[in-house]
Amino acid sequence: MAKDNEYGTNQYAPNKDYQDPPPAPLIDPEELGKWSFYRAIIAEFIATLLFLYITVLTVIGYKSQSDTTHNGDECGGVGILGIAWAFGGMIFVLVYSTAGISGGHINPAVTFGLFLARKVSLVRAVMYIIAQCLGAICGCALVKAFQKAYYVKYGGGANELAVGYSTGTGLGAEIIGTFVLVYTVFSATDPKRNARDSHVPVLAPLPIGFAVFMVHLATIPITGTGINPARSFGAAVIYGKDKAWDDQWIFWVGPFIGAAIAALYHQYILRAGAAKALGSFRSNA
């Protein structure tokens, strides 16, 4: 049986059975003149709008149904499990729907991680993040329009650090949660994995949605689970209360750090990018 050498490549079969896409340029002026670029931005906007609309509506619905001070049932509504399913399920649906158009990022942290890995250009990354934030604001605005009586009363779906948890704990939860998500994104879309495990069909949006679901189960009690700066930003803008803004930095810094760690881990350790670069340096020397 052929063996991999120290850099993770087959020493007896130099011709790979998969093809890595070329690194995206830092700035690609040509894509600004393509309709596909603007179509992708629109897809990210609409997907994030729908994501926030369904998920925030689920959160507010649960809080209103379980409010015992207004004839609610403490065990009523979908519960934390249902909220986690709403977030994970919507990511599965929306990534599946938009992956062929924009890549199905729907999250600035995912976009940032893919940018660091040279999967998208700087221009595309910036435009995606703007579209995602605007989509999140519009999605939350729709929820407020349809649930005026409950939106502000039940927190507007805004992320806040829960009472009893330190800032460091909240930041750590966001870093680890986003690492899980972005690491899953890289693994599920890795061309090498798809070629090696071609006999095992993997629908990439499924593990990504499950990652979101599992992280929500773990971190809803701590931060309400951000792991998506657009989701936290859109809810804070429409909710507009001080507490949401006081903690807002956690939901940007944490996810971006987590995404950066996941990108470096996957590209330079699992895909042996660092070892390959060192080997190339030695051979040139």
Side-chain angles (χ1 to χ4, degrees):
M1 181 180 293
K3 298 181 180 179
D4 285 353
N5 62 22
E6 61 179 314
Y7 302 124
T9 58
N10 193 311
Q11 58 184 330
Y12 301 114
N15 294 325
K16 298 188 295 186
D17 57 355
Y18 67 96
Q19 185 65 44
D20 279 319
L26 183 62
I27 299 176
D28 185 6
E30 292 185 2
E31 67 182 354
L32 296 176
K34 297 178 180 178
W35 163 242
S36 60
F37 173 70
Y38 299 99
R39 180 181 63 185
I41 293 172
I42 294 171
E44 286 293 312
F45 170 81
I46 296 297
T48 314
L49 183 154
L50 295 174
F51 176 59
L52 267 293
Y53 172 72
I54 295 296
T55 54
V56 172
L57 203 56
T58 301
V59 171
I60 292 175
Y62 162 65
K63 288 185 175 181
S64 65
Q65 290 173 326
S66 59
D67 185 0
T68 55
T69 62
H70 288 79
N71 300 320
D73 182 357
E74 189 173 354
C75 297
V78 297
I80 290 179
L81 183 64
I83 292 173
W85 270 121
F87 279 87
M90 279 304 291
I91 287 297
F92 168 69
V93 169
L94 294 170
V95 171
Y96 180 84
S97 300
T98 60
I101 301 171
S102 67
H105 297 193
I106 320 171
N107 184 336
V110 172
T111 300
F112 181 66
L114 293 174
F115 166 70
L116 292 180
R118 300 288 303 278
K119 306 293 185 182
V120 295
S121 68
L122 176 61
V123 174
R124 183 176 290 265
V126 170
M127 293 305 296
Y128 273 19
I129 291 173
I130 292 173
Q132 291 156 0
C133 289
L134 291 176
I137 292 171
C138 293
C140 290
L142 282 178
V143 175
K144 187 174 183 179
F146 294 149
Q147 292 278 9
K148 290 182 179 179
Y150 299 122
Y151 186 83
V152 175
K153 179 179 180 180
Y154 294 114
N159 288 123
E160 298 177 357
L161 185 62
V163 176
Y165 290 98
S166 67
T167 300
T169 300
L171 183 63
E174 289 296 309
I175 291 173
I176 296 172
T178 310
F179 174 86
V180 172
L181 170 59
V182 178
Y183 171 46
T184 304
V185 170
F186 275 106
S187 298
T189 58
D190 189 342
K192 182 177 182 180
R193 177 197 180 101
N194 293 336
R196 183 189 63 204
D197 300 334
S198 58
H199 60 289
V200 182
V202 177
L203 185 63
L206 185 59
I208 295 171
F210 262 105
V212 172
F213 167 69
M214 297 304 295
V215 171
H216 273 76
L217 287 181
T219 58
I220 282 177
I222 303 173
T223 61
T225 308
I227 68 171
N228 184 333
R231 174 258 186 276
S232 303
F233 179 72
V237 168
I238 302 302
Y239 182 50
K241 301 299 182 181
D242 290 342
K243 177 61 174 173
W245 286 114
D246 291 342
D247 298 332
Q248 185 65 200
W249 69 272
I250 295 175
F251 303 104
W252 284 87
V253 175
F256 274 41
I257 292 176
I261 296 172
L264 294 174
Y265 174 62
H266 185 270
Q267 294 297 104
Y268 290 97
I269 297 179
L270 298 187
R271 291 300 302 273
K276 291 175 183 176
L278 180 60
S280 177
F281 173 78
R282 286 175 175 173
S283 63
N284 290 335

PDB file of all heavy atoms in Angstrom, residues 184-210:
ATOM      1  N   THR A 184     -15.500  23.048  11.051  1.00  0.00           N
ATOM      2  CA  THR A 184     -16.424  22.164  10.339  1.00  0.00           C
ATOM      3  C   THR A 184     -16.613  22.611   8.899  1.00  0.00           C
ATOM      4  O   THR A 184     -16.680  21.782   7.978  1.00  0.00           O
ATOM      5  CB  THR A 184     -17.790  22.125  11.056  1.00  0.00           C
ATOM      6  OG1 THR A 184     -17.597  21.727  12.419  1.00  0.00           O
ATOM      7  CG2 THR A 184     -18.738  21.154  10.379  1.00  0.00           C
ATOM      8  N   VAL A 185     -16.696  23.917   8.675  1.00  0.00           N
ATOM      9  CA  VAL A 185     -16.830  24.444   7.316  1.00  0.00           C
ATOM     10  C   VAL A 185     -15.638  24.024   6.453  1.00  0.00           C
ATOM     11  O   VAL A 185     -15.801  23.531   5.326  1.00  0.00           O
ATOM     12  CB  VAL A 185     -16.967  25.980   7.331  1.00  0.00           C
ATOM     13  CG1 VAL A 185     -16.854  26.550   5.916  1.00  0.00           C
ATOM     14  CG2 VAL A 185     -18.288  26.397   7.962  1.00  0.00           C
ATOM     15  N   PHE A 186     -14.436  24.205   6.977  1.00  0.00           N
ATOM     16  CA  PHE A 186     -13.238  23.817   6.226  1.00  0.00           C
ATOM     17  C   PHE A 186     -13.212  22.313   5.956  1.00  0.00           C
ATOM     18  O   PHE A 186     -12.900  21.878   4.844  1.00  0.00           O
ATOM     19  CB  PHE A 186     -11.977  24.227   6.998  1.00  0.00           C
ATOM     20  CG  PHE A 186     -11.551  25.642   6.767  1.00  0.00           C
ATOM     21  CD1 PHE A 186     -11.748  26.605   7.740  1.00  0.00           C
ATOM     22  CD2 PHE A 186     -10.955  26.018   5.574  1.00  0.00           C
ATOM     23  CE1 PHE A 186     -11.362  27.917   7.536  1.00  0.00           C
ATOM     24  CE2 PHE A 186     -10.557  27.330   5.355  1.00  0.00           C
ATOM     25  CZ  PHE A 186     -10.761  28.285   6.338  1.00  0.00           C
ATOM     26  N   SER A 187     -13.539  21.519   6.955  1.00  0.00           N
ATOM     27  CA  SER A 187     -13.480  20.066   6.802  1.00  0.00           C
ATOM     28  C   SER A 187     -14.533  19.558   5.829  1.00  0.00           C
ATOM     29  O   SER A 187     -14.262  18.670   5.008  1.00  0.00           O
ATOM     30  CB  SER A 187     -13.669  19.389   8.170  1.00  0.00           C
ATOM     31  OG  SER A 187     -12.635  19.744   9.057  1.00  0.00           O
ATOM     32  N   ALA A 188     -15.740  20.114   5.903  1.00  0.00           N
ATOM     33  CA  ALA A 188     -16.831  19.636   5.057  1.00  0.00           C
ATOM     34  C   ALA A 188     -16.648  20.028   3.597  1.00  0.00           C
ATOM     35  O   ALA A 188     -17.221  19.386   2.704  1.00  0.00           O
ATOM     36  CB  ALA A 188     -18.163  20.180   5.577  1.00  0.00           C
ATOM     37  N   THR A 189     -15.874  21.071   3.339  1.00  0.00           N
ATOM     38  CA  THR A 189     -15.690  21.552   1.968  1.00  0.00           C
ATOM     39  C   THR A 189     -14.288  21.278   1.428  1.00  0.00           C
ATOM     40  O   THR A 189     -13.929  21.778   0.364  1.00  0.00           O
ATOM     41  CB  THR A 189     -15.981  23.060   1.881  1.00  0.00           C
ATOM     42  OG1 THR A 189     -15.104  23.768   2.778  1.00  0.00           O
ATOM     43  CG2 THR A 189     -17.420  23.358   2.277  1.00  0.00           C
ATOM     44  N   ASP A 190     -13.503  20.505   2.153  1.00  0.00           N
ATOM     45  CA  ASP A 190     -12.125  20.215   1.755  1.00  0.00           C
ATOM     46  C   ASP A 190     -12.109  19.311   0.515  1.00  0.00           C
ATOM     47  O   ASP A 190     -12.621  18.189   0.567  1.00  0.00           O
ATOM     48  CB  ASP A 190     -11.408  19.521   2.909  1.00  0.00           C
ATOM     49  CG  ASP A 190      -9.910  19.378   2.672  1.00  0.00           C
ATOM     50  OD1 ASP A 190      -9.478  19.498   1.508  1.00  0.00           O
ATOM     51  OD2 ASP A 190      -9.178  19.148   3.648  1.00  0.00           O
ATOM     52  N   PRO A 191     -11.524  19.753  -0.605  1.00  0.00           N
ATOM     53  CA  PRO A 191     -11.508  18.918  -1.813  1.00  0.00           C
ATOM     54  C   PRO A 191     -10.735  17.617  -1.627  1.00  0.00           C
ATOM     55  O   PRO A 191     -11.054  16.599  -2.238  1.00  0.00           O
ATOM     56  CB  PRO A 191     -10.852  19.821  -2.866  1.00  0.00           C
ATOM     57  CG  PRO A 191     -10.099  20.854  -2.094  1.00  0.00           C
ATOM     58  CD  PRO A 191     -10.889  21.054  -0.836  1.00  0.00           C
ATOM     59  N   LYS A 192      -9.714  17.638  -0.775  1.00  0.00           N
ATOM     60  CA  LYS A 192      -8.945  16.415  -0.515  1.00  0.00           C
ATOM     61  C   LYS A 192      -9.805  15.383   0.192  1.00  0.00           C
ATOM     62  O   LYS A 192      -9.779  14.197  -0.148  1.00  0.00           O
ATOM     63  CB  LYS A 192      -7.714  16.738   0.339  1.00  0.00           C
ATOM     64  CG  LYS A 192      -6.835  15.524   0.618  1.00  0.00           C
ATOM     65  CD  LYS A 192      -5.596  15.910   1.413  1.00  0.00           C
ATOM     66  CE  LYS A 192      -4.705  14.690   1.650  1.00  0.00           C
ATOM     67  NZ  LYS A 192      -3.477  15.047   2.422  1.00  0.00           N
ATOM     68  N   ARG A 193     -10.591  15.825   1.158  1.00  0.00           N
ATOM     69  CA  ARG A 193     -11.473  14.902   1.871  1.00  0.00           C
ATOM     70  C   ARG A 193     -12.533  14.336   0.938  1.00  0.00           C
ATOM     71  O   ARG A 193     -12.833  13.143   0.965  1.00  0.00           O
ATOM     72  CB  ARG A 193     -12.139  15.632   3.032  1.00  0.00           C
ATOM     73  CG  ARG A 193     -13.133  14.770   3.805  1.00  0.00           C
ATOM     74  CD  ARG A 193     -14.073  15.604   4.662  1.00  0.00           C
ATOM     75  NE  ARG A 193     -14.979  14.738   5.367  1.00  0.00           N
ATOM     76  CZ  ARG A 193     -14.853  14.393   6.637  1.00  0.00           C
ATOM     77  NH1 ARG A 193     -13.839  14.851   7.327  1.00  0.00           N
ATOM     78  NH2 ARG A 193     -15.718  13.603   7.214  1.00  0.00           N
ATOM     79  N   ASN A 194     -13.107  15.209   0.107  1.00  0.00           N
ATOM     80  CA  ASN A 194     -14.151  14.760  -0.803  1.00  0.00           C
ATOM     81  C   ASN A 194     -13.632  13.720  -1.785  1.00  0.00           C
ATOM     82  O   ASN A 194     -14.345  12.785  -2.162  1.00  0.00           O
ATOM     83  CB  ASN A 194     -14.743  15.951  -1.556  1.00  0.00           C
ATOM     84  CG  ASN A 194     -15.497  16.891  -0.634  1.00  0.00           C
ATOM     85  OD1 ASN A 194     -15.967  16.481   0.428  1.00  0.00           O
ATOM     86  ND2 ASN A 194     -15.616  18.151  -1.023  1.00  0.00           N
ATOM     87  N   ALA A 195     -12.381  13.873  -2.226  1.00  0.00           N
ATOM     88  CA  ALA A 195     -11.797  12.905  -3.156  1.00  0.00           C
ATOM     89  C   ALA A 195     -11.456  11.598  -2.444  1.00  0.00           C
ATOM     90  O   ALA A 195     -11.719  10.511  -2.951  1.00  0.00           O
ATOM     91  CB  ALA A 195     -10.546  13.489  -3.795  1.00  0.00           C
ATOM     92  N   ARG A 196     -10.899  11.699  -1.248  1.00  0.00           N
ATOM     93  CA  ARG A 196     -10.484  10.509  -0.498  1.00  0.00           C
ATOM     94  C   ARG A 196     -11.682   9.692  -0.042  1.00  0.00           C
ATOM     95  O   ARG A 196     -11.658   8.459  -0.050  1.00  0.00           O
ATOM     96  CB  ARG A 196      -9.655  10.941   0.701  1.00  0.00           C
ATOM     97  CG  ARG A 196      -9.107   9.784   1.529  1.00  0.00           C
ATOM     98  CD  ARG A 196      -8.487  10.328   2.804  1.00  0.00           C
ATOM     99  NE  ARG A 196      -9.504  10.988   3.607  1.00  0.00           N
ATOM    100  CZ  ARG A 196      -9.229  11.937   4.505  1.00  0.00           C
ATOM    101  NH1 ARG A 196      -7.995  12.359   4.672  1.00  0.00           N
ATOM    102  NH2 ARG A 196     -10.194  12.474   5.223  1.00  0.00           N
ATOM    103  N   ASP A 197     -12.750  10.386   0.387  1.00  0.00           N
ATOM    104  CA  ASP A 197     -13.929   9.700   0.913  1.00  0.00           C
ATOM    105  C   ASP A 197     -15.091   9.777  -0.068  1.00  0.00           C
ATOM    106  O   ASP A 197     -16.243   9.934   0.336  1.00  0.00           O
ATOM    107  CB  ASP A 197     -14.341  10.324   2.256  1.00  0.00           C
ATOM    108  CG  ASP A 197     -13.243  10.231   3.300  1.00  0.00           C
ATOM    109  OD1 ASP A 197     -12.417   9.310   3.184  1.00  0.00           O
ATOM    110  OD2 ASP A 197     -13.219  11.065   4.219  1.00  0.00           O
ATOM    111  N   SER A 198     -14.797   9.676  -1.354  1.00  0.00           N
ATOM    112  CA  SER A 198     -15.841   9.805  -2.371  1.00  0.00           C
ATOM    113  C   SER A 198     -16.894   8.704  -2.261  1.00  0.00           C
ATOM    114  O   SER A 198     -18.012   8.856  -2.736  1.00  0.00           O
ATOM    115  CB  SER A 198     -15.217   9.787  -3.772  1.00  0.00           C
ATOM    116  OG  SER A 198     -14.489   8.587  -3.971  1.00  0.00           O
ATOM    117  N   HIS A 199     -16.520   7.572  -1.616  1.00  0.00           N
ATOM    118  CA  HIS A 199     -17.476   6.476  -1.445  1.00  0.00           C
ATOM    119  C   HIS A 199     -18.453   6.756  -0.305  1.00  0.00           C
ATOM    120  O   HIS A 199     -19.424   6.022  -0.120  1.00  0.00           O
ATOM    121  CB  HIS A 199     -16.723   5.177  -1.151  1.00  0.00           C
ATOM    122  CG  HIS A 199     -15.895   5.241   0.100  1.00  0.00           C
ATOM    123  ND1 HIS A 199     -14.730   6.001   0.168  1.00  0.00           N
ATOM    124  CD2 HIS A 199     -16.058   4.675   1.333  1.00  0.00           C
ATOM    125  CE1 HIS A 199     -14.211   5.867   1.378  1.00  0.00           C
ATOM    126  NE2 HIS A 199     -14.993   5.080   2.104  1.00  0.00           N
ATOM    127  N   VAL A 200     -18.179   7.820   0.475  1.00  0.00           N
ATOM    128  CA  VAL A 200     -19.078   8.203   1.562  1.00  0.00           C
ATOM    129  C   VAL A 200     -19.671   9.563   1.224  1.00  0.00           C
ATOM    130  O   VAL A 200     -19.020  10.587   1.401  1.00  0.00           O
ATOM    131  CB  VAL A 200     -18.327   8.293   2.914  1.00  0.00           C
ATOM    132  CG1 VAL A 200     -19.295   8.654   4.031  1.00  0.00           C
ATOM    133  CG2 VAL A 200     -17.621   6.995   3.214  1.00  0.00           C
ATOM    134  N   PRO A 201     -20.893   9.597   0.694  1.00  0.00           N
ATOM    135  CA  PRO A 201     -21.467  10.886   0.299  1.00  0.00           C
ATOM    136  C   PRO A 201     -21.673  11.792   1.506  1.00  0.00           C
ATOM    137  O   PRO A 201     -22.284  11.398   2.503  1.00  0.00           O
ATOM    138  CB  PRO A 201     -22.812  10.495  -0.334  1.00  0.00           C
ATOM    139  CG  PRO A 201     -23.131   9.155   0.247  1.00  0.00           C
ATOM    140  CD  PRO A 201     -21.814   8.475   0.482  1.00  0.00           C
ATOM    141  N   VAL A 202     -21.125  12.993   1.444  1.00  0.00           N
ATOM    142  CA  VAL A 202     -21.256  13.967   2.532  1.00  0.00           C
ATOM    143  C   VAL A 202     -21.912  15.227   1.988  1.00  0.00           C
ATOM    144  O   VAL A 202     -21.391  15.855   1.078  1.00  0.00           O
ATOM    145  CB  VAL A 202     -19.882  14.318   3.142  1.00  0.00           C
ATOM    146  CG1 VAL A 202     -20.043  15.385   4.219  1.00  0.00           C
ATOM    147  CG2 VAL A 202     -19.229  13.075   3.730  1.00  0.00           C
ATOM    148  N   LEU A 203     -23.059  15.544   2.527  1.00  0.00           N
ATOM    149  CA  LEU A 203     -23.741  16.767   2.149  1.00  0.00           C
ATOM    150  C   LEU A 203     -23.203  17.870   3.052  1.00  0.00           C
ATOM    151  O   LEU A 203     -23.543  17.933   4.237  1.00  0.00           O
ATOM    152  CB  LEU A 203     -25.252  16.597   2.323  1.00  0.00           C
ATOM    153  CG  LEU A 203     -26.146  17.736   1.862  1.00  0.00           C
ATOM    154  CD1 LEU A 203     -26.012  17.964   0.363  1.00  0.00           C
ATOM    155  CD2 LEU A 203     -27.598  17.457   2.224  1.00  0.00           C
ATOM    156  N   ALA A 204     -22.328  18.730   2.519  1.00  0.00           N
ATOM    157  CA  ALA A 204     -21.600  19.704   3.338  1.00  0.00           C
ATOM    158  C   ALA A 204     -22.496  20.538   4.255  1.00  0.00           C
ATOM    159  O   ALA A 204     -22.129  20.769   5.418  1.00  0.00           O
ATOM    160  CB  ALA A 204     -20.761  20.601   2.437  1.00  0.00           C
ATOM    161  N   PRO A 205     -23.664  21.022   3.816  1.00  0.00           N
ATOM    162  CA  PRO A 205     -24.476  21.835   4.723  1.00  0.00           C
ATOM    163  C   PRO A 205     -24.954  21.086   5.969  1.00  0.00           C
ATOM    164  O   PRO A 205     -25.236  21.711   6.991  1.00  0.00           O
ATOM    165  CB  PRO A 205     -25.679  22.237   3.849  1.00  0.00           C
ATOM    166  CG  PRO A 205     -25.168  22.163   2.454  1.00  0.00           C
ATOM    167  CD  PRO A 205     -24.214  21.015   2.436  1.00  0.00           C
ATOM    168  N   LEU A 206     -25.013  19.751   5.891  1.00  0.00           N
ATOM    169  CA  LEU A 206     -25.524  18.983   7.034  1.00  0.00           C
ATOM    170  C   LEU A 206     -24.596  19.059   8.240  1.00  0.00           C
ATOM    171  O   LEU A 206     -25.043  19.428   9.346  1.00  0.00           O
ATOM    172  CB  LEU A 206     -25.777  17.532   6.615  1.00  0.00           C
ATOM    173  CG  LEU A 206     -26.431  16.629   7.671  1.00  0.00           C
ATOM    174  CD1 LEU A 206     -27.779  17.197   8.086  1.00  0.00           C
ATOM    175  CD2 LEU A 206     -26.601  15.210   7.126  1.00  0.00           C
ATOM    176  N   PRO A 207     -23.310  18.723   8.124  1.00  0.00           N
ATOM    177  CA  PRO A 207     -22.433  18.870   9.302  1.00  0.00           C
ATOM    178  C   PRO A 207     -22.280  20.309   9.759  1.00  0.00           C
ATOM    179  O   PRO A 207     -22.100  20.570  10.953  1.00  0.00           O
ATOM    180  CB  PRO A 207     -21.098  18.288   8.830  1.00  0.00           C
ATOM    181  CG  PRO A 207     -21.151  18.302   7.344  1.00  0.00           C
ATOM    182  CD  PRO A 207     -22.587  18.120   6.993  1.00  0.00           C
ATOM    183  N   ILE A 208     -22.363  21.256   8.823  1.00  0.00           N
ATOM    184  CA  ILE A 208     -22.269  22.665   9.218  1.00  0.00           C
ATOM    185  C   ILE A 208     -23.472  23.057  10.073  1.00  0.00           C
ATOM    186  O   ILE A 208     -23.341  23.711  11.113  1.00  0.00           O
ATOM    187  CB  ILE A 208     -22.157  23.566   7.974  1.00  0.00           C
ATOM    188  CG1 ILE A 208     -20.849  23.275   7.228  1.00  0.00           C
ATOM    189  CG2 ILE A 208     -22.238  25.039   8.353  1.00  0.00           C
ATOM    190  CD1 ILE A 208     -20.741  23.950   5.876  1.00  0.00           C
ATOM    191  N   GLY A 209     -24.661  22.638   9.642  1.00  0.00           N
ATOM    192  CA  GLY A 209     -25.859  22.905  10.436  1.00  0.00           C
ATOM    193  C   GLY A 209     -25.818  22.230  11.795  1.00  0.00           C
ATOM    194  O   GLY A 209     -26.210  22.814  12.810  1.00  0.00           O
ATOM    195  N   PHE A 210     -25.309  21.000  11.834  1.00  0.00           N
ATOM    196  CA  PHE A 210     -25.195  20.296  13.109  1.00  0.00           C
ATOM    197  C   PHE A 210     -24.190  20.971  14.026  1.00  0.00           C
ATOM    198  O   PHE A 210     -24.365  20.990  15.254  1.00  0.00           O
ATOM    199  CB  PHE A 210     -24.806  18.838  12.881  1.00  0.00           C
ATOM    200  CG  PHE A 210     -25.983  17.900  12.903  1.00  0.00           C
ATOM    201  CD1 PHE A 210     -26.477  17.365  11.728  1.00  0.00           C
ATOM    202  CD2 PHE A 210     -26.600  17.578  14.093  1.00  0.00           C
ATOM    203  CE1 PHE A 210     -27.570  16.510  11.746  1.00  0.00           C
ATOM    204  CE2 PHE A 210     -27.694  16.722  14.127  1.00  0.00           C
ATOM    205  CZ  PHE A 210     -28.182  16.188  12.952  1.00  0.00           C
TER     206      PHE A 210
END
